Amino acid sequence: MASFPPRVNEKEIGKLLLNLVDHTEVVRDLTFAPDGSLILVSASRDKTLRVWDLKDDGNMMKVLRGHQNWVYSCAFSPDSSMLCSVGASKAVFLWNMDKYTMIRKLEGHHHDVVACDFSPDGALLATASYDTRVYIWDPHTGDILMEFGHLFPPPTPIFAGGANDRWVRSVSFSHDGLHIASLADDKMVRFWRIDEDYPVQVASLSNGLCCAFSTDGSVLAAGTHDGSVYFWATPRQIPSLQHLCRMSIRRVMPTQEVQELPIPSKVLEFLSYRI
């Protein structure tokens, strides 16, 4: 349910406008739909995601159920059509946000999954887990395209919960669609390229918890358990014309439609982020 105070004038800016009350446990994450609709999704330890319409006095539109344990994080695709939610017990779920139904569960992680982020064109999904890995998925097919490991050799599934000095806490896509940042408990920030299996740059950070790129991708901000926020200049590279064209195409075409194009196989692989 929602309680909504009367409208306020400019002199009252900064005061509480809306209080959404329905979750029964800690709310771990919030994300707005990028389309400007003021649709908000909240993720909670009560094992649910709740969809709120802030244009309708905060009316709760839907409860998304499927997680069997805590929900840690959620993220919209750039076109707002899809939502990813991640949580305890290896959970990675994709939701159709037009029908509010589950599309699929992505299988691959071996421990709790704590963060997720879509690429700017919506063609890729990054997830971070306590199994010391970041996976890059094709959200349209459920395939794992890339793996960024934070422990070498990587732990076997039976020991995936034991490498707690390498738990990955956060992952974020840069707006150039080429770079990813990750934070892990080994006191490191790593910058990755989507076409390389090793970090292109690393930096020291103790107690890292979350990270996000600036809009232009030039700065990464990272928050820590001790209340600090740190900033780094990020690796910069002028995207190739091929990559810019790929992003333009993938913004409007899911993988299944790309694979039906009458073009050479190598071009299909490139457009599908498989080379």
Side-chain angles (χ1 to χ4, degrees), residues 29-31 39-43 49-52 74 76 83 97:
D29 199 15
L30 299 164
T31 183
I39 298 298
L40 175 74
V41 175
S42 54
L49 299 117
R50 295 175 191 258
V51 185
W52 313 84
C74 56
F76 270 101
L83 181 85
M97 294 308 288

Side-chain angles (χ1 to χ4, degrees), residues 150 164-167 183-190 205:
H150 294 66
N164 55 7
D165 62 338
R166 301 296 176 96
W167 285 1
L183 304 185
D185 283 350
D186 62 355
K187 303 180 181 180
M188 300 293 288
V189 180
R190 292 172 173 83
L205 176 70

Side-chain angles (χ1 to χ4, degrees), residues 9 21 23 36 57 64 71 88 99 138 156 169 171 182 184-185 270:
N9 58 41
V21 182
H23 282 294
D57 292 350
L64 303 180
V71 188
K99 300 177 180 178
D138 183 329
T156 59
R169 297 283 179 175
V171 66
S182 63
D185 283 350
F270 179 77

Side-chain angles (χ1 to χ4, degrees), residues 62-137:
K62 198 71 177 178
V63 180
L64 303 180
R65 304 182 188 276
H67 285 267
Q68 301 302 308
N69 213 315
W70 293 358
V71 188
Y72 280 106
S73 184
C74 56
F76 270 101
S77 62
D79 66 358
S80 302
S81 67
M82 192 184 302
L83 181 85
C84 176
S85 62
V86 298
S89 305
K90 315 173 190 177
V92 182
F93 292 164
L94 289 174
W95 306 86
N96 181 318
M97 294 308 288
D98 294 322
K99 300 177 180 178
Y100 301 114
T101 57
M102 187 185 299
I103 300 172
R104 63 176 57 90
K105 181 178 180 181
L106 302 182
E107 304 279 356
H109 281 296
H110 305 293
H111 203 333
D112 294 357
V113 189
V114 294
C116 57
D117 197 19
F118 282 91
S119 62
D121 59 5
L124 302 174
L125 170 68
T127 57
S129 170
Y130 289 167
D131 67 9
T132 76
R133 299 170 174 90
V134 167
Y135 282 149
I136 308 299
W137 311 77

Side-chain angles (χ1 to χ4, degrees), residues 189-233:
V189 180
R190 292 172 173 83
F191 295 94
W192 311 80
R193 273 184 58 99
I194 60 171
D195 54 0
E196 302 283 355
D197 58 4
Y198 55 86
V200 296
Q201 189 172 322
V202 297
S204 297
L205 176 70
S206 297
N207 301 313
L209 186 61
C210 57
C211 65
F213 281 94
S214 61
T215 301
D216 66 357
S218 64
V219 175
L220 181 80
T224 66
H225 284 283
D226 58 14
S228 300
V229 180
Y230 296 86
F231 299 89
W232 286 271

